[in-house]
Amino acid sequence: MTMDHDFSKPQKQSASGIIIMFANTLQKVIRAAALPVLFIFIKSGGQHTWAMVSGSIALILILAVFAYIRYVKFTFFLDEDKQEFIINKGVFSRTTLTIQLNKIQQVNINQSLLQQMIGVYSLDIDTAGSDKKEASIKAVDHTTATLLRQKLLSRDTSTTESGQLAASEAESVMPPFLKLSNFTLLKVGITSNYGASIALLTGFIFGLFELIKDYNSAFEIEENQLSQAFNRGFSVFSLCFLLIAALVLILGTNIIRTFIKYFDFKIIKQKRALAVSSGLFTKHNTLLKPDKVQLSAYSQNYFQKKLGMLNIKVKQASYSSADEEDEKKSAVEIPGCDETERDEILKMIFDHIPAKGKPLLPNYRFLFLRIMLCIILPLLAVFLLGSFFLTVIKPHFVLAVPYVFIVVTLLYFEYKHHRLYTNDNFVIKRSGIWDIEHEIIEPHKIQAITAKQYFWHKKADVGHLTIHTAAGVIHFKYGNYTHIKNLVNYWIYKVESSKKDWM
Amino acid sequence: MQEFTNDPIDIEALPNYEQAQLKTLHPKYWNVVMIHIGIFLFLLAAGIAALVVFNSEAKQHIILFSALYIVLAVLLIALNRADISRRGFAVRDKDIIYRNGVIALTTTIVPFSRIQHIALHEGLFARMFGLAALNIFTAGGSSGSLHIPGIEIGEARRIKEMLMKQITKTEE
């Protein structure tokens, strides 16, 4: 151990951090200056090559000195009395970043390819709240990283105890509680991310239509029987080829993406936390604290069900994610686990396996608006357009039949899967068409509740419910409004009477 | 788990948010909204007038334009009128309720213990009528936060003070 682990005094990063700093600055400079320099080089016709080379060397030297000063000026320390973590940095202008420990949501230890070669880690501190600040330390050794993380996250436990605890954690290699084999990753890659795949496939289908059109025109012209037959054979062959190529391409990218993200995926159980690590090039290491979890979800599609596996997503509080639909940044994903492992993880988070309570079913009106938007309106538009303006598409009106059939089937499944299960301790929402997702929250994690009713639903006693959490919203639509209002009263009572804090 | 009790709860006996007496927005807020509508309609009228004066083709449709303009003006005023008359808020012992919406009546409830911070906003026209807006933020992002306009400024300040006290109380 080369570094002093008394965080109350200002500390520097690992000495090899200079290399990281240098690489970072160099990257920025190259990105900014590459094009102009190239332009000048071409303009001058390569006459001043020597001047260019010596200039570059000088620049690199300056950057190296700059990196060294940045390294010297970058210090961090923990103010235990004020419960603050303070980072001082900057060469020309000094910046002091003060982070209150109770605002810290997550501390991640990551390692890029370069950091892996040097053997240092970066520590990224994620804070929640409207005062959005991001802090990261680019180069520390493993012991410092784990120790510091433990200290940053343990604001309630006494510091000496947690310090020893972290030290023992850093030294001893505990057997992982969950480890994904390459075979599992392969299965995950094949069965998930169909959204992106379908988008790619539609592109291919449009390509196919083009081909069919070519084929039709070739048929009508009736030039040469031989070349026609050749054409037909060729296009059928190329059609099949294209289809197979598309499938291989989609599955290939899926598998590669899965491997880059989840290679060597491990979960290690620690005292009151789960350490999740994965990554092929960049190693990600996240510590998951159960009491910080806002929303947990697991999803499974038909293939995954047959293979007996599902994907888990655990979301922690994040101000940006509460607004945006994609909560990728604050979500920890655990792919490819089976049901026992899922129950084990949920038990870690919630203390017991969340039971599905009484289901709340949506009204059949759920389908009305969707049928209107996805079937009636587009078809009407196409029919009108085809009858009066674009008569070319008239012969293809028959395609409306399979379209309606497919969309109705999809909508039916969406309706069928839309459920809200509630009991005293959990709210579970099921939704999805192909990937069936269960989102789980505990009532005391609720931030606000909205109940909404359109005036034409008043008589039918149908309404909508929105539960706002710090990690996104849960919607339940077209439910029995009397029931929803009772639930709202109950959850508000639960939030206000419970002593449990949401974070 | 020492104090754990699990008595059955009578859902019917729980405080019902629908029974809370909602306070409507201050009547003067209508003036503020009318000023906003007036400015919008004036700009629109100026635009149409410019079009009619400089474009001879548009001149022929002057009656159509004015008819559409009047329909839009009436619709805007009627919708805003309905919107404002439906808005209301209530401060209960432990939470704040806000209701709004014309075609869909939306009620949002924010418990005091979940409020992150509160902002008092005085718009230019609102200030002329002694009104202010209360912005109540939670960790649930913008969808889980409240924006209540048209509160008399003194009352808005009182509510803000009271909420601030409640927040610090729950944090202890």
Side-chain angles (χ1 to χ4, degrees), chain A residues 129-130 319 322-323 424 444 446-455 468-470 473 481 485-486 488-490 492-493 495-496 500-502, chain B residues 6 9 11-12 14-18 92 94-95 102-111 113-114 116-117 137-144:
Chain A
S130 38
Y319 196 74
D323 275 343
D424 287 356
H444 70 268
I446 293 173
Q447 299 288 334
I449 307 181
T450 301
K452 179 173 163 184
Q453 187 178 42
Y454 289 95
F455 67 78
H468 310 267
T469 78
V473 291
Y481 204 50
K485 286 189 285 194
N486 280 337
V488 170
N489 285 328
Y490 177 64
I492 286 292
Y493 161 77
V495 170
E496 289 166 1
K500 284 184 194 162
D501 205 6
W502 65 276
Chain B
N6 200 0
I9 297 160
I11 300 241
E12 301 292 319
L14 287 175
N16 187 346
Y17 75 88
E18 279 200 310
R92 295 200 293 185
K94 292 187 173 72
D95 52 39
V102 181
I103 44 170
L105 203 60
T106 307
T107 312
T108 302
I109 308 169
V110 176
S113 55
R114 298 296 183 262
Q116 292 278 77
H117 68 277
F137 299 93
T138 71
S142 64
S143 73

Coordinates of all heavy atoms in Angstrom, one line a residue, chain A residues 129-130 319 322-323 424 444 446-455 468-470 473 481 485-486 488-490 492-493 495-496 500-502, chain B residues 6 9 11-12 14-18 92 94-95 102-111 113-114 116-117 137-144:
Chain A
G129 N -30.6 15.0 -6.8 CA -31.1 16.3 -6.3 C -31.0 17.3 -7.4 O -30.3 17.1 -8.4
S130 N -31.6 18.5 -7.2 CA -31.7 19.5 -8.3 C -30.3 20.1 -8.5 O -30.0 20.5 -9.6 CB -32.7 20.5 -8.0 OG -32.7 20.8 -6.6
Y319 N -32.0 12.5 -10.5 CA -32.9 13.6 -10.9 C -33.2 13.6 -12.4 O -34.4 13.9 -12.8 CB -32.3 15.0 -10.5 CG -33.3 16.1 -10.5 CD1 -34.3 16.1 -9.5 CD2 -33.4 17.0 -11.5 CE1 -35.3 17.1 -9.5 CE2 -34.4 18.0 -11.5 CZ -35.3 18.1 -10.5 OH -36.2 19.0 -10.5
A322 N -35.8 10.8 -13.4 CA -37.1 10.9 -13.1 C -37.9 11.6 -14.2 O -39.1 11.4 -14.3 CB -37.3 11.7 -11.8
D323 N -37.3 12.4 -15.0 CA -37.9 13.1 -16.0 C -37.9 12.3 -17.3 O -38.9 12.2 -18.0 CB -37.3 14.5 -16.3 CG -37.8 15.5 -15.3 OD1 -38.9 15.3 -14.8 OD2 -37.2 16.5 -15.2
D424 N -50.2 -4.8 0.9 CA -49.8 -3.8 1.9 C -48.3 -3.3 1.6 O -48.1 -2.1 1.9 CB -49.8 -4.5 3.3 CG -51.3 -4.6 3.7 OD1 -52.1 -4.1 3.0 OD2 -51.5 -5.2 4.8
H444 N -43.5 3.4 0.4 CA -42.8 4.5 1.0 C -41.8 5.1 0.1 O -41.2 6.1 0.4 CB -42.2 4.1 2.3 CG -41.1 3.2 2.2 ND1 -41.2 1.8 2.3 CD2 -39.7 3.4 2.1 CE1 -40.0 1.2 2.2 NE2 -39.1 2.2 2.0
I446 N -42.8 6.3 -2.8 CA -43.6 7.1 -3.7 C -43.3 8.6 -3.3 O -43.2 9.0 -2.2 CB -45.1 6.8 -3.4 CG1 -45.5 5.4 -3.9 CG2 -46.0 7.9 -4.1 CD1 -46.9 5.0 -3.6
Q447 N -43.1 9.4 -4.4 CA -42.9 10.8 -4.2 C -44.2 11.6 -4.3 O -44.4 12.6 -3.6 CB -41.9 11.3 -5.3 CG -40.6 10.7 -5.2 CD -39.8 11.1 -4.0 OE1 -40.0 12.2 -3.5 NE2 -38.9 10.3 -3.6
A448 N -45.0 11.3 -5.3 CA -46.3 12.0 -5.4 C -47.2 11.0 -6.2 O -46.7 10.1 -6.9 CB -46.1 13.3 -6.2
I449 N -48.5 11.3 -6.1 CA -49.5 10.4 -6.8 C -50.4 11.3 -7.6 O -50.8 12.4 -7.1 CB -50.3 9.5 -5.9 CG1 -49.4 8.7 -5.0 CG2 -51.2 8.6 -6.7 CD1 -50.1 7.8 -4.0
T450 N -50.7 10.9 -8.8 CA -51.7 11.6 -9.6 C -52.8 10.7 -10.1 O -52.6 9.6 -10.5 CB -51.0 12.2 -10.9 OG1 -50.0 13.1 -10.5 CG2 -52.0 13.0 -11.8
A451 N -54.0 11.2 -9.9 CA -55.2 10.4 -10.4 C -55.9 11.3 -11.4 O -55.9 12.5 -11.3 CB -56.2 10.2 -9.3
K452 N -56.3 10.7 -12.5 CA -56.7 11.5 -13.7 C -57.9 10.8 -14.3 O -58.0 9.6 -14.4 CB -55.6 11.6 -14.7 CG -55.8 12.3 -15.9 CD -54.5 12.4 -16.7 CE -54.7 12.7 -18.1 NZ -53.4 12.7 -18.8
Q453 N -58.9 11.7 -14.7 CA -60.1 11.1 -15.3 C -60.6 12.0 -16.4 O -60.8 13.2 -16.2 CB -61.2 10.9 -14.3 CG -62.4 10.2 -14.8 CD -63.5 9.9 -13.8 OE1 -63.8 10.8 -13.0 NE2 -64.0 8.7 -13.8
Y454 N -60.8 11.4 -17.6 CA -61.4 12.2 -18.7 C -62.9 12.3 -18.4 O -63.5 11.3 -17.9 CB -61.2 11.5 -20.0 CG -59.7 11.7 -20.5 CD1 -58.8 10.7 -20.2 CD2 -59.3 12.8 -21.1 CE1 -57.5 10.8 -20.6 CE2 -58.0 12.9 -21.5 CZ -57.1 11.9 -21.2 OH -55.8 12.1 -21.6
F455 N -63.5 13.4 -18.8 CA -64.9 13.6 -18.4 C -65.9 12.6 -19.0 O -66.9 12.2 -18.4 CB -65.4 15.1 -18.7 CG -65.5 15.5 -20.1 CD1 -66.6 15.0 -20.9 CD2 -64.5 16.3 -20.7 CE1 -66.7 15.4 -22.2 CE2 -64.6 16.6 -22.0 CZ -65.7 16.2 -22.8
H468 N -45.5 8.7 -9.0 CA -44.2 9.3 -9.3 C -43.1 8.8 -8.3 O -43.4 8.9 -7.1 CB -44.2 10.8 -9.2 CG -45.4 11.4 -10.0 ND1 -45.3 11.8 -11.3 CD2 -46.7 11.6 -9.7 CE1 -46.4 12.3 -11.7 NE2 -47.3 12.1 -10.8
T469 N -42.0 8.3 -8.8 CA -40.9 7.9 -7.9 C -39.7 8.6 -8.3 O -39.7 9.3 -9.4 CB -40.7 6.4 -7.9 OG1 -39.9 6.1 -9.1 CG2 -41.9 5.5 -7.9
A470 N -38.6 8.5 -7.5 CA -37.4 9.2 -7.9 C -36.7 8.5 -9.0 O -35.6 9.0 -9.4 CB -36.5 9.3 -6.6
V473 N -41.7 7.0 -13.5 CA -43.1 6.9 -13.1 C -43.7 5.6 -13.5 O -43.2 4.8 -14.3 CB -44.0 8.0 -13.8 CG1 -43.7 9.4 -13.3 CG2 -43.8 7.9 -15.3
Y481 N -62.1 3.6 -11.3 CA -61.6 4.9 -10.6 C -61.9 4.9 -9.1 O -61.1 5.4 -8.4 CB -62.3 6.1 -11.3 CG -61.5 7.4 -11.2 CD1 -60.2 7.4 -11.5 CD2 -62.1 8.5 -10.8 CE1 -59.4 8.5 -11.3 CE2 -61.4 9.7 -10.6 CZ -60.0 9.7 -10.9 OH -59.3 10.8 -10.8
K485 N -59.0 5.6 -6.5 CA -59.0 6.6 -5.5 C -58.8 6.0 -4.1 O -58.1 6.6 -3.3 CB -60.4 7.4 -5.6 CG -60.4 8.3 -6.8 CD -61.6 9.2 -6.8 CE -62.9 8.4 -7.1 NZ -64.0 9.3 -7.5
N486 N -59.3 4.8 -3.9 CA -59.1 4.2 -2.6 C -57.6 3.9 -2.4 O -57.0 4.1 -1.3 CB -59.9 2.9 -2.5 CG -61.3 3.1 -2.1 OD1 -61.6 4.1 -1.5 ND2 -62.2 2.2 -2.5
V488 N -55.1 5.5 -3.8 CA -54.4 6.7 -3.6 C -54.5 7.1 -2.2 O -53.5 7.4 -1.5 CB -55.0 7.8 -4.5 CG1 -54.4 9.2 -4.1 CG2 -54.7 7.6 -6.0
N489 N -55.7 7.1 -1.6 CA -55.8 7.4 -0.2 C -55.0 6.5 0.7 O -54.3 6.9 1.7 CB -57.3 7.3 0.2 CG -58.1 8.4 -0.3 OD1 -57.6 9.5 -0.4 ND2 -59.4 8.1 -0.6
Y490 N -55.0 5.2 0.3 CA -54.2 4.2 1.1 C -52.7 4.5 1.1 O -52.0 4.5 2.1 CB -54.5 2.8 0.7 CG -53.8 1.8 1.4 CD1 -53.9 1.6 2.7 CD2 -52.8 1.0 0.7 CE1 -53.2 0.6 3.4 CE2 -52.1 0.0 1.4 CZ -52.3 -0.2 2.7 OH -51.6 -1.1 3.4
I492 N -51.2 7.3 0.2 CA -50.8 8.6 0.8 C -50.8 8.4 2.4 O -49.9 8.9 3.0 CB -51.9 9.7 0.4 CG1 -51.7 10.1 -1.0 CG2 -51.8 10.9 1.4 CD1 -50.4 10.9 -1.3
Y493 N -51.7 7.6 2.9 CA -51.7 7.3 4.3 C -50.4 6.6 4.7 O -49.8 6.9 5.7 CB -53.0 6.4 4.6 CG -52.8 5.7 5.9 CD1 -53.0 6.3 7.1 CD2 -52.6 4.3 5.9 CE1 -52.9 5.6 8.3 CE2 -52.4 3.6 7.1 CZ -52.6 4.2 8.3 OH -52.5 3.5 9.4
V495 N -47.5 6.6 3.1 CA -46.3 7.5 3.0 C -46.3 8.4 4.2 O -45.2 8.6 4.8 CB -46.4 8.3 1.7 CG1 -45.3 9.4 1.7 CG2 -46.2 7.4 0.5
E496 N -47.4 8.9 4.6 CA -47.4 9.9 5.6 C -47.3 9.3 7.0 O -46.9 10.0 8.0 CB -48.7 10.8 5.5 CG -48.5 11.7 4.3 CD -49.8 12.4 3.9 OE1 -50.8 12.1 4.5 OE2 -49.8 13.1 2.9
K500 N -40.4 5.3 7.5 CA -39.3 5.0 6.6 C -39.1 6.1 5.6 O -40.0 6.7 5.1 CB -39.8 3.8 5.7 CG -39.7 2.5 6.5 CD -40.0 1.4 5.5 CE -40.3 0.1 6.2 NZ -41.0 -0.9 5.4
D501 N -37.8 6.4 5.4 CA -37.5 7.5 4.5 C -37.3 6.8 3.1 O -37.1 5.6 3.0 CB -36.2 8.1 4.9 CG -36.1 9.5 4.4 OD1 -37.0 10.0 3.8 OD2 -35.0 10.2 4.6
W502 N -37.5 7.7 2.1 CA -37.4 7.1 0.7 C -35.9 6.9 0.3 O -35.6 6.3 -0.7 CB -38.2 7.9 -0.3 CG -37.6 9.3 -0.5 CD1 -37.9 10.4 0.3 CD2 -36.7 9.8 -1.5 NE1 -37.2 11.5 -0.2 CE2 -36.5 11.1 -1.3 CE3 -36.1 9.1 -2.6 CZ2 -35.7 11.9 -2.1 CZ3 -35.3 9.9 -3.4 CH2 -35.1 11.3 -3.1
Chain B
N6 N -49.5 -4.8 13.0 CA -50.1 -5.0 11.7 C -51.7 -5.1 11.9 O -52.3 -6.1 11.6 CB -49.6 -6.3 11.2 CG -49.8 -6.4 9.7 OD1 -50.4 -5.5 9.1 ND2 -49.4 -7.5 9.1
I9 N -56.5 -2.2 8.4 CA -56.9 -0.8 8.1 C -58.2 -0.8 7.4 O -58.4 -1.5 6.4 CB -55.8 -0.1 7.3 CG1 -54.5 -0.1 8.1 CG2 -56.2 1.3 6.9 CD1 -53.3 0.1 7.3
I11 N -60.1 0.9 4.8 CA -59.8 1.8 3.7 C -60.9 2.9 3.7 O -60.5 4.1 3.5 CB -59.8 1.0 2.4 CG1 -58.7 0.0 2.4 CG2 -59.6 2.0 1.2 CD1 -57.6 0.1 1.5
E12 N -62.1 2.6 4.0 CA -63.2 3.6 4.0 C -63.0 4.7 5.0 O -63.4 5.8 4.8 CB -64.5 2.9 4.3 CG -64.9 1.8 3.3 CD -65.2 2.3 1.9 OE1 -65.8 3.4 1.8 OE2 -64.7 1.7 0.9
L14 N -60.1 5.9 6.0 CA -58.9 6.7 5.7 C -59.3 8.1 5.2 O -60.4 8.2 4.6 CB -58.0 6.1 4.7 CG -57.2 4.8 5.1 CD1 -56.5 4.3 3.9 CD2 -56.2 5.2 6.2
P15 N -58.5 9.1 5.5 CA -58.9 10.4 5.0 C -59.0 10.4 3.4 O -58.1 9.8 2.8 CB -57.7 11.3 5.4 CG -56.8 10.4 6.1 CD -57.4 9.1 6.3
N16 N -60.1 10.9 2.9 CA -60.3 10.9 1.5 C -59.9 12.2 0.8 O -60.4 13.2 1.2 CB -61.8 10.6 1.3 CG -62.1 10.4 -0.2 OD1 -61.3 10.6 -1.1 ND2 -63.3 9.9 -0.4
Y17 N -59.0 12.1 -0.1 CA -58.5 13.3 -0.7 C -59.6 14.1 -1.5 O -59.5 15.3 -1.6 CB -57.3 13.0 -1.7 CG -57.6 12.4 -3.0 CD1 -57.9 13.3 -4.1 CD2 -57.6 11.1 -3.2 CE1 -58.2 12.7 -5.3 CE2 -57.9 10.5 -4.4 CZ -58.2 11.3 -5.5 OH -58.5 10.8 -6.7
E18 N -60.6 13.4 -1.9 CA -61.7 14.0 -2.6 C -62.6 14.9 -1.7 O -63.2 15.8 -2.2 CB -62.6 13.0 -3.3 CG -62.0 12.5 -4.6 CD -63.0 11.9 -5.5 OE1 -63.8 11.0 -4.9 OE2 -63.1 12.2 -6.6
R92 N -53.4 20.1 3.4 CA -53.9 19.3 4.5 C -52.8 19.2 5.5 O -51.7 19.8 5.4 CB -54.2 17.9 4.0 CG -55.4 17.8 3.0 CD -56.0 16.5 2.9 NE -55.1 15.5 2.3 CZ -55.5 14.2 2.1 NH1 -56.8 13.8 2.4 NH2 -54.7 13.4 1.5
K94 N -50.7 16.9 6.3 CA -49.5 16.2 5.9 C -49.2 16.3 4.4 O -48.2 15.7 4.0 CB -49.5 14.8 6.4 CG -49.5 14.7 7.9 CD -49.3 13.2 8.3 CE -49.1 13.1 9.8 NZ -50.3 13.4 10.6
D95 N -50.1 16.9 3.6 CA -49.8 16.9 2.2 C -50.5 18.1 1.5 O -51.2 18.8 2.2 CB -50.2 15.6 1.5 CG -51.6 15.2 1.8 OD1 -52.5 16.1 1.8 OD2 -51.8 14.0 2.0
V102 N -59.0 20.5 -18.0 CA -60.3 20.7 -18.6 C -61.0 19.4 -19.1 O -62.0 19.1 -18.6 CB -60.2 21.7 -19.8 CG1 -61.5 22.0 -20.4 CG2 -59.5 23.0 -19.4
I103 N -60.3 18.8 -20.1 CA -60.9 17.5 -20.6 C -60.7 16.4 -19.6 O -61.5 15.5 -19.5 CB -60.5 17.2 -22.0 CG1 -59.0 17.3 -22.2 CG2 -61.3 17.9 -23.0 CD1 -58.5 16.8 -23.5
A104 N -59.5 16.4 -18.9 CA -59.2 15.4 -17.9 C -59.0 16.1 -16.6 O -58.2 17.0 -16.5 CB -58.0 14.6 -18.3
L105 N -59.7 15.7 -15.6 CA -59.5 16.3 -14.3 C -58.4 15.5 -13.6 O -58.5 14.3 -13.4 CB -60.8 16.2 -13.5 CG -61.0 17.2 -12.4 CD1 -60.9 18.6 -12.9 CD2 -62.3 17.0 -11.6
T106 N -57.3 16.2 -13.3 CA -56.1 15.6 -12.7 C -55.9 16.1 -11.3 O -56.0 17.3 -11.1 CB -54.9 16.0 -13.6 OG1 -55.2 15.7 -14.9 CG2 -53.7 15.2 -13.1
T107 N -55.7 15.1 -10.4 CA -55.5 15.5 -9.0 C -54.1 14.9 -8.6 O -53.9 13.7 -8.8 CB -56.6 14.9 -8.1 OG1 -57.8 15.3 -8.6 CG2 -56.4 15.5 -6.7
T108 N -53.2 15.8 -8.2 CA -51.9 15.3 -7.7 C -51.7 15.6 -6.3 O -52.1 16.7 -5.8 CB -50.8 16.0 -8.6 OG1 -51.0 15.7 -9.9 CG2 -49.4 15.5 -8.2
I109 N -51.2 14.6 -5.5 CA -51.0 14.8 -4.1 C -49.5 14.6 -3.8 O -48.9 13.7 -4.2 CB -51.8 13.7 -3.3 CG1 -53.2 13.8 -3.7 CG2 -51.7 14.0 -1.8 CD1 -54.0 12.6 -3.2
V110 N -48.9 15.6 -3.1 CA -47.5 15.6 -2.7 C -47.4 15.6 -1.2 O -47.8 16.6 -0.6 CB -46.7 16.7 -3.3 CG1 -45.3 16.7 -2.8 CG2 -46.8 16.7 -4.8
P111 N -47.0 14.5 -0.6 CA -46.8 14.6 0.9 C -45.7 15.5 1.3 O -44.7 15.7 0.5 CB -46.4 13.1 1.2 CG -46.8 12.3 0.1 CD -46.7 13.2 -1.1
S113 N -43.4 15.3 3.4 CA -42.1 14.6 3.6 C -41.4 14.3 2.3 O -40.2 13.9 2.4 CB -42.3 13.3 4.4 OG -43.2 12.5 3.7
R114 N -42.0 14.5 1.2 CA -41.3 14.2 -0.1 C -41.0 15.5 -0.8 O -40.4 15.4 -1.9 CB -42.2 13.4 -1.0 CG -42.6 12.0 -0.4 CD -41.4 11.1 -0.2 NE -41.7 9.8 0.2 CZ -41.6 9.4 1.5 NH1 -41.2 10.3 2.4 NH2 -41.9 8.2 1.8
Q116 N -38.8 18.4 -2.0 CA -37.3 18.7 -2.0 C -37.1 20.2 -1.8 O -36.3 20.6 -1.0 CB -36.7 18.3 -3.4 CG -36.7 16.9 -3.7 CD -35.5 16.2 -3.0 OE1 -35.5 15.9 -1.8 NE2 -34.5 15.9 -3.8
H117 N -37.7 21.0 -2.6 CA -37.7 22.5 -2.3 C -38.9 23.2 -2.9 O -39.6 22.7 -3.7 CB -36.3 23.1 -2.8 CG -36.2 23.1 -4.3 ND1 -35.7 22.0 -5.0 CD2 -36.4 24.0 -5.2 CE1 -35.7 22.3 -6.3 NE2 -36.1 23.5 -6.4
F137 N -41.3 21.2 -5.7 CA -40.5 20.2 -6.4 C -40.3 18.9 -5.5 O -40.0 19.1 -4.3 CB -39.1 20.7 -6.7 CG -39.2 21.9 -7.7 CD1 -39.2 23.2 -7.2 CD2 -39.3 21.7 -9.0 CE1 -39.2 24.3 -8.0 CE2 -39.3 22.8 -9.9 CZ -39.3 24.0 -9.4
T138 N -40.4 17.8 -6.1 CA -40.1 16.5 -5.4 C -39.0 15.8 -6.2 O -38.6 16.3 -7.2 CB -41.3 15.6 -5.4 OG1 -41.5 15.1 -6.7 CG2 -42.6 16.2 -4.9
A139 N -38.5 14.7 -5.7 CA -37.5 14.0 -6.4 C -38.1 13.2 -7.6 O -37.3 12.6 -8.3 CB -36.8 13.0 -5.4
G140 N -39.4 13.3 -7.7 CA -40.0 12.7 -8.9 C -39.9 13.4 -10.2 O -40.6 13.1 -11.1
G141 N -39.1 14.4 -10.2 CA -38.9 15.2 -11.5 C -40.0 16.1 -11.7 O -40.8 16.4 -10.9
S142 N -40.1 16.6 -13.0 CA -41.1 17.7 -13.3 C -42.5 17.1 -13.3 O -43.4 17.8 -12.9 CB -40.8 18.3 -14.6 OG -40.9 17.3 -15.6
S143 N -42.6 15.8 -13.6 CA -44.0 15.2 -13.6 C -44.5 15.1 -12.2 O -45.7 15.1 -12.0 CB -44.0 13.9 -14.3 OG -43.3 12.9 -13.5
G144 N -43.6 14.9 -11.2 CA -44.1 14.7 -9.8 C -44.0 16.0 -9.0 O -44.0 16.0 -7.8

